[in-house]
Amino acid sequence: DTEVTQTPKHLVMGMTNKKSLKCEQHMGHRAMYWYKQKAKKPPELMFVYSYEKLSINESVPSRFSPECPNSSLLNLHLHALQPEDSALYLCASSQGQGMNYGYTFGSGTRLTVV
Amino acid sequence: QQQVKQSPQSLIVQKGGIPIINCAYENTAFDYFPWYQQFPGKGPALLIAIRPDVSEKKEGRFTISFNKSAKQFSLHIMDSQPGDSATYFCAASQGSGYSTLTFGKGTMLLVSP
């Protein structure tokens, strides 16, 4: 299995809603990432988990809350989002040890905040 | 600040042409340089990558040229096809273990039939 699976593919939520994005990989990767991508822009790093511990938080607002329940799963909990948070949210994973061999990205969740 | 500068922003070539996308970096500690291909509505997919101890790498129709002294690298797509129309991102990272990618701003490639 060489995939990163993200659910849901599309999500529309109101500014008072609470929702979660899910990400799963079964490649044995020990580093997992959340990225945010706006249209016609490169992905922007949000969070990095290494061996299930939060290693990097790129000053992301607290309305985004990551969680890594185990080495295969990564969640992003959303609460009280703003319309400007509408974007493609990408999960990625990498080996997380030894030489860096790059990331595998999921297909993303297209989030629209209304 | 770590940066990777990518050009051009957009590119149109005819089928069979050889589009070339260029990237330049500043941080000499970077030791891994991947290229990602992204289709609309999809996540980026790793296309090809190079390390600074080689000057060129080919995988199928895709070639990376790397110039360590100039701190530049480029992607060439041989015999381009309409299905190659996508956004291409160069990136760079350093070190081992988990690492963060520094992305270029992307190039939108259109290959006309």
Side-chain angles (χ1 to χ4, degrees):
Chain A
D1 188 350
T2 58
E3 285 188 343
V4 173
T5 303
Q6 290 188 244
T7 55
K9 294 193 183 305
H10 301 276
L11 179 63
V12 179
M13 61 185 291
M15 289 189 284
T16 58
N17 291 159
K18 287 185 180 180
K19 296 287 184 183
S20 296
L21 309 184
K22 296 185 184 302
C23 174
E24 188 169 6
Q25 59 89 13
H26 295 288
M27 295 177 281
H29 288 175
R30 301 313 301 267
M32 296 186 76
Y33 311 79
W34 280 114
Y35 278 82
K36 172 183 177 180
Q37 187 178 28
K38 291 282 213 179
K40 299 185 179 182
K41 298 290 186 182
E44 297 176 24
L45 182 66
M46 299 176 72
F47 302 104
V48 179
Y49 273 84
S50 176
Y51 289 81
E52 298 148 56
K53 287 185 169 45
L54 183 64
S55 298
I56 294 179
N57 176 342
E58 289 286 359
S59 302
V60 179
S62 59
R63 57 185 184 268
F64 296 92
S65 176
E67 178 196 19
C68 189
N70 60 55
S71 61
S72 299
L73 295 174
L74 188 65
N75 299 322
L76 186 63
H77 303 296
L78 314 173
H79 174 56
L81 294 193
Q82 303 298 309
E84 58 265 29
D85 296 321
S86 298
L88 181 67
Y89 287 83
L90 294 162
C91 174
S93 69
S94 69
Q95 288 187 333
Q97 56 187 336
M99 284 187 82
N100 177 15
Y101 287 101
Y103 292 12
T104 301
F105 280 92
S107 290
T109 295
R110 174 70 61 189
L111 174 67
T112 303
V113 181
V114 297
Chain B
Q1 184 168 350
Q2 297 179 353
Q3 284 189 336
V4 177
K5 294 182 180 178
Q6 183 172 348
S7 62
Q9 190 173 5
S10 62
L11 187 55
I12 302 174
V13 299
Q14 288 193 325
K15 178 182 174 182
I18 305 177
I20 300 173
I21 305 170
N22 300 299
C23 286
Y25 63 96
E26 299 172 358
N27 185 354
T28 54
F30 286 144
D31 60 2
Y32 179 74
F33 302 89
W35 284 89
Y36 285 86
Q37 178 189 57
Q38 186 174 26
F39 293 105
K42 299 292 186 183
L46 180 63
L47 195 59
I48 187 173
I50 199 168
R51 297 192 185 276
D53 53 344
V54 299
S55 59
E56 186 176 276
K57 183 175 181 179
K58 292 183 181 181
E59 286 187 5
R61 295 184 294 108
F62 300 93
T63 299
I64 299 179
S65 297
F66 189 86
N67 185 330
K68 187 174 181 178
S69 60
K71 294 187 286 186
Q72 295 175 345
F73 58 110
S74 60
L75 177 70
H76 302 230
I77 305 176
M78 307 302 175
D79 187 27
S80 59
Q81 301 295 314
D84 296 328
S85 299
T87 298
Y88 293 82
F89 292 99
C90 64
S93 68
Q94 66 180 88
S96 60
Y98 78 83
S99 60
T100 60
L101 288 173
T102 300
F103 283 95
K105 294 196 173 199
T107 297
M108 292 182 62
L109 172 65
L110 177 63
V111 181
S112 60

